Amino acid sequence: MKKIHIIGLGLLGGSFGLGARLKFPELIITGTDSNPQNLKDALTLGIITEAKETPDKDTDLVILATPADTLGKILIDTLNQVGENTLVFDVGSTKSKLCAMMSDHPKRKQYLAAHPIAGTEYSGPKAAMADLLNRKVLIICELEKTDLHLKEKAYQLFDALNVKLRFMDPEEHDRHLAFVSHLSHISSFMLGETVLQKMADEKNIFDMAGSGFASTVRLAKSSPAMWAPIFTENKENILSALDGYISNLSAFRDKIANDDSKGLFEEMAEINKIRDILELGK
Amino acid sequence: MKKIHIIGLGLLGGSFGLGARLKFPELIITGTDSNPQNLKDALTLGIITEAKETPDKDTDLVILATPADTLGKILIDTLNQVGENTLVFDVGSTKSKLCAMMSDHPKRKQYLAAHPIAGTEYSGPKAAMADLLNRKVLIICELEKTDLHLKEKAYQLFDALNVKLRFMDPEEHDRHLAFVSHLSHISSFMLGETVLQKMADEKNIFDMAGSGFASTVRLAKSSPAMWAPIFTENKENILSALDGYISNLSAFRDKIANDDSKGLFEEMAEINKIRDILELGK
């Protein structure tokens, strides 16, 4: 592997660049970003070795790390630009639409649908970290549709970055992620909004916020440019998750209204089981 | 200060004990817990130096650290047991009911209404830490109703533990805490419940959970024995917070259903302001 190209030099694209440089010091890393400041920062930070609008024909790997709703067009354009020995993978948080769009594409075998479960509430090249991917799960969808030999190029990078590979179909991926990632972000944003609204009347409310609030509201600092497209791209699954969440909240609300201490206790004790399940996942 | 007594030897009561021992090695710390195992653990862990059902008459400070709905009765009983040079303070998460109940009590000046904003999702004496209170906010309500000289005993301990004191009235306290603490716990519990329900149909869903989910669901590991009483004790304020939260969630849901990308982006960008506010609070 001699040359990779990264489109989108934010937190995730930037972390792939920094990680790849660390593991393969000789690698040529070209890249681009629609935001000129990001491109400049990526060069300064050493995320890429050269700014380049489009990948060279002999690029081994192209990584697409732009917002979810832009990936379809960029993927098609990129496949038209690269040679036949290039593998293109995206790192988007939704997979069904992209995979469906690609199902009959003549260059389908040069595409790998990937999603690393890695990130922070920060965004942009300055938020990138060489070890962001270390020991994180990376999900691959429709593995069998990608060329066997080209796939090796991605595996070489994934192994070097020490990710844990998982495989599933795109619909399953989007359904699961709606619950264990997208819903968390919405609950956090709405928590932040509710408290900000209250703060309009009550001063210094944040003085009293402890680590519990900081933890649950952390994701409300996340990038709207990244998340708005995810919410619309994975609409059906997210609506199902949200409806379940709102319905649980309403039922819990009624238990509080009715002073149903026993019901509240029992419901929370049942939810406490998540302790063991989260431990197992470690 | 020679002698303190702690009723309720869990996370918070235990941390007061460990912290006090560290700062005042000569201190006699007696204490009790309705759970015999907790009492045993507290002795083993050095949280208390002696198990004692009721405080001695010459105890300087009594700390009440039991669930919110039990504090009223224990406070009255304790005030009847102690001498006139003892100060009693509670560390409960709700303050209005207690302060109202105490307003005409003949020993009101021996009581201090306190609430340290400190804790973790774990509970019991084994979760206690000597530095849990370090640099945490401790709210005092109705400061003026406590005897000037007795108050000094509490200040001596608070200063040694390095807490940051804040003062407000009990109604304001309960109103604020509903938003910046109690609501976070409910949103986290309900998130955990929603994902557990989904898991009944979908296996391995937690494999895909990243640090964002872990962060938002952390509080769902919290003790039901502590939180069920808080929710009912602070019912009116929590219902108001919850109703605002559910209404925000429903409006956000509709924006997703209507593919209102611009609206979602703008709403989240507005909520991002919480970044700066949270930074200010540091």
Side-chain angles (χ1 to χ4, degrees):
Chain A
M1 198 160 61
K2 289 178 179 167
K3 204 183 272 186
I4 73 173
H5 182 79
I6 306 173
I7 303 179
L9 300 165
L11 169 68
L12 203 45
S15 295
F16 267 100
L18 290 176
R21 277 266 299 232
L22 193 69
K23 300 292 180 173
F24 307 101
E26 307 297 314
L27 199 64
I28 296 166
I29 309 182
T30 62
T32 186
D33 195 293
S34 61
N35 178 333
Q37 186 62 49
N38 279 2
L39 187 56
K40 209 173 141 186
D41 288 344
L43 276 165
T44 312
L45 295 163
I47 288 171
I48 55 172
T49 52
E50 192 186 341
K52 203 166 248 188
E53 193 66 29
T54 54
D56 294 333
K57 284 253 176 222
D58 64 344
T59 299
D60 294 287
L61 273 178
V62 180
I63 304 173
L64 310 183
T66 59
D69 60 336
T70 64
L71 288 168
K73 183 180 181 315
I74 295 175
L75 174 55
I76 302 287
D77 290 349
T78 303
L79 286 171
N80 288 334
Q81 291 154 3
V82 297
E84 62 185 13
N85 287 315
T86 305
L87 178 75
V88 183
F89 72 85
D90 79 297
V91 295
S93 299
T94 59
K95 295 266 83 77
S96 299
K97 279 195 186 178
L98 268 185
C99 286
M101 183 195 82
M102 288 302 292
S103 65
D104 296 321
H105 193 280
K107 291 188 170 179
R108 176 64 184 85
K109 69 182 200 323
Q110 287 185 253
Y111 166 61
L112 183 74
H115 178 210
I117 312 289
T120 71
E121 66 273 35
Y122 304 108
S123 52
K126 288 178 179 166
M129 296 178 284
D131 65 347
L132 180 74
L133 281 304
N134 184 42
R135 293 183 54 76
K136 301 290 161 52
V137 166
L138 187 148
I139 297 163
I140 293 178
C141 297
E142 300 190 330
L143 180 73
E144 69 290 352
K145 296 198 176 175
T146 307
D147 179 85
L148 205 63
H149 297 290
L150 289 180
K151 241 177 332 204
E152 284 303 324
K153 299 188 186 208
Y155 286 173
Q156 206 185 330
L157 179 62
F158 295 160
D159 288 348
L161 297 179
N162 200 25
V163 306
K164 301 188 274 185
L165 294 182
R166 297 286 183 277
F167 307 94
M168 60 182 65
D169 71 56
E171 291 71 29
E172 190 186 3
H173 169 277
D174 286 8
R175 218 160 50 222
H176 283 198
L177 266 290
F179 281 81
V180 295
S181 166
H182 309 166
L183 180 60
S184 285
H185 282 80
I186 296 173
S187 80
S188 194
F189 268 105
M190 295 303 99
L191 185 68
E193 183 167 64
T194 308
V195 176
L196 285 171
Q197 287 161 347
K198 185 68 178 174
M199 201 187 61
D201 307 319
E202 310 261 358
K203 302 299 168 200
N204 307 323
I205 190 166
F206 287 100
D207 272 7
M208 307 164 70
S211 61
F213 179 71
S215 163
T216 43
V217 88
R218 176 171 71 84
L219 301 179
K221 305 175 190 172
S222 302
S223 158
M226 170 178 174
W227 284 97
I230 293 173
F231 296 153
T232 49
E233 291 288 307
N234 199 20
K235 181 164 97 168
E236 297 310 325
N237 290 309
I238 289 176
L239 291 181
S240 153
L242 255 179
D243 288 344
Y245 185 58
I246 293 172
S247 151
N248 286 333
L249 278 166
S250 301
F252 199 79
R253 180 213 180 279
D254 291 344
K255 280 186 180 148
I256 296 174
N258 296 327
D259 293 307
D260 179 7
S261 300
K262 188 164 169 284
L264 291 170
F265 181 93
E266 288 171 353
E267 187 168 346
M268 287 190 280
E270 191 65 28
I271 302 166
N272 273 172
K273 287 181 182 166
I274 206 160
R275 281 181 202 157
D276 307 321
I277 298 169
L278 289 173
E279 282 302 314
L280 278 179
K282 276 187 184 161
Chain B
M1 197 162 58
K2 291 178 178 168
K3 203 184 274 187
I4 71 173
H5 182 80
I6 306 173
I7 303 179
L9 300 165
L11 168 68
L12 203 46
S15 296
F16 267 100
L18 290 176
R21 276 267 298 230
L22 193 70
K23 301 292 179 175
F24 307 101
E26 307 297 314
L27 198 64
I28 297 168
I29 309 181
T30 61
T32 187
D33 196 292
S34 60
N35 177 333
Q37 185 62 48
N38 279 2
L39 187 55
K40 209 173 142 185
D41 289 343
L43 277 164
T44 312
L45 294 163
I47 288 171
I48 55 172
T49 52
E50 193 186 342
K52 202 165 250 188
E53 193 65 31
T54 54
D56 293 334
K57 285 252 175 219
D58 64 346
T59 298
D60 295 288
L61 273 178
V62 180
I63 304 173
L64 311 184
T66 59
D69 59 336
T70 64
L71 288 167
K73 183 180 182 314
I74 295 174
L75 175 56
I76 302 288
D77 289 349
T78 302
L79 285 170
N80 287 335
Q81 290 154 4
V82 296
E84 60 185 16
N85 287 315
T86 304
L87 178 75
V88 182
F89 72 87
D90 79 299
V91 296
S93 300
T94 60
K95 296 264 85 74
S96 300
K97 280 195 186 177
L98 268 185
C99 287
M101 182 195 84
M102 288 301 292
S103 64
D104 296 322
H105 193 280
K107 292 190 170 179
R108 175 65 184 84
K109 68 181 201 326
Q110 287 185 254
Y111 166 60
L112 183 73
H115 178 210
I117 313 288
T120 70
E121 67 272 36
Y122 304 108
S123 52
K126 288 179 179 166
M129 296 177 286
D131 65 348
L132 180 74
L133 281 305
N134 183 43
R135 294 183 53 72
K136 300 290 162 53
V137 166
L138 187 146
I139 298 163
I140 293 178
C141 297
E142 301 189 331
L143 180 72
E144 70 289 353
K145 296 198 176 175
T146 308
D147 178 85
L148 205 63
H149 298 290
L150 288 181
K151 243 183 321 209
E152 284 303 324
K153 300 188 183 206
Y155 286 173
Q156 204 184 334
L157 179 61
F158 295 160
D159 289 347
L161 298 180
N162 200 26
V163 306
K164 301 188 273 186
L165 295 181
R166 296 287 182 276
F167 307 94
M168 60 182 65
D169 72 56
E171 290 72 27
E172 189 185 3
H173 169 278
D174 286 9
R175 220 161 48 222
H176 283 199
L177 265 290
F179 281 81
V180 295
S181 167
H182 309 165
L183 181 60
S184 285
H185 282 79
I186 295 173
S187 80
S188 194
F189 268 106
M190 294 302 100
L191 185 68
E193 182 167 65
T194 308
V195 176
L196 285 170
Q197 287 162 345
K198 184 68 177 175
M199 202 187 60
D201 307 319
E202 311 260 357
K203 300 300 168 201
N204 306 323
I205 190 166
F206 287 100
D207 272 7
M208 307 164 70
S211 61
F213 179 72
S215 162
T216 43
V217 87
R218 176 171 71 85
L219 301 178
K221 304 175 189 171
S222 301
S223 157
M226 170 178 175
W227 284 98
I230 293 174
F231 296 152
T232 49
E233 291 288 308
N234 199 20
K235 179 164 98 169
E236 297 310 326
N237 290 308
I238 289 176
L239 291 181
S240 151
L242 255 180
D243 288 344
Y245 184 58
I246 293 172
S247 150
N248 286 332
L249 279 165
S250 301
F252 199 79
R253 180 215 179 278
D254 292 344
K255 282 187 180 148
I256 295 174
N258 296 326
D259 293 306
D260 180 7
S261 300
K262 187 164 169 284
L264 291 170
F265 181 94
E266 287 171 354
E267 186 167 347
M268 287 190 280
E270 191 65 28
I271 301 166
N272 274 171
K273 286 181 182 165
I274 207 160
R275 284 181 202 155
D276 307 321
I277 298 169
L278 290 174
E279 281 303 315
L280 277 178
K282 275 184 185 163

